[in-house]
Amino acid sequence: MTGAAVAQRIVLAIKVDDPALAQRLELLLADVPGLRLAQGNEVPHAAVIATPGAERSPGAERSPGAERSAEPDAALTPREIQVLRLLAEGASNKSIARRLGISVHTVKFHVASLLDKFEAIGRTDAVTHAVRLGLIQL
């Protein structure tokens, strides 16, 4: 792989509770071209979270009475992770917008997306879910 190709690798974070499965995934993904696993507190391009015992097929809908899950259904974008970290600091939408160089409207869009992905009832709930999943640290 060339130096330019290495710089364009997708950084992936994976959260798996089963250490044996985590190790197998790490070995399987180690040689995938254009992909590398996130290290430490590195901000990934995408995050994949395995739900213990979940055997839901991709695209399967939840039944109306299904128990709420703290796991996001879709991977978080790098910008959503940035917004999430600033939410954890208690930053307002306006402050987040200034710090990231985006509009307040765009911040509201990212916050709404996070609330939806975590099925959270508010900003604090979204941060709580993210901390429990190890996506951010306080």
Side-chain angles (χ1 to χ4, degrees), residues 9-131:
R9 284 185 166 181
I10 295 172
V11 179
L12 178 67
I14 299 178
K15 168 122 171 66
V16 181
D17 290 334
D18 179 359
L21 178 59
Q23 185 176 19
R24 286 184 16 222
L25 285 170
E26 187 174 334
L27 291 172
L28 284 169
L29 296 173
D31 296 326
V32 175
L35 179 77
R36 72 176 179 79
L37 297 176
Q39 302 294 314
N41 289 335
E42 180 179 18
V43 177
H45 293 107
V48 178
I49 301 161
T51 305
E55 303 214 3
R56 198 171 78 178
S57 60
E61 295 297 319
R62 290 188 183 151
S63 61
E67 189 176 312
R68 261 185 43 153
S69 169
E71 312 291 338
D73 286 336
L76 300 180
T77 67
R79 181 64 89 187
E80 287 172 336
I81 292 171
Q82 290 175 324
V83 170
L84 195 53
R85 286 185 174 144
L86 293 171
L87 287 176
E89 292 178 12
S92 67
N93 288 349
K94 190 173 184 178
S95 173
I96 293 170
R98 283 186 189 145
R99 289 172 71 176
L100 297 179
I102 58 178
S103 73
V104 174
H105 175 76
T106 302
V107 173
K108 289 178 182 179
F109 174 83
H110 288 306
V111 171
S113 178
L114 288 166
L115 295 179
D116 183 53
K117 288 181 179 182
F118 286 113
E119 295 182 3
I121 57 173
R123 297 158 73 102
T124 304
D125 192 32
V127 169
T128 302
H129 288 311
V131 170

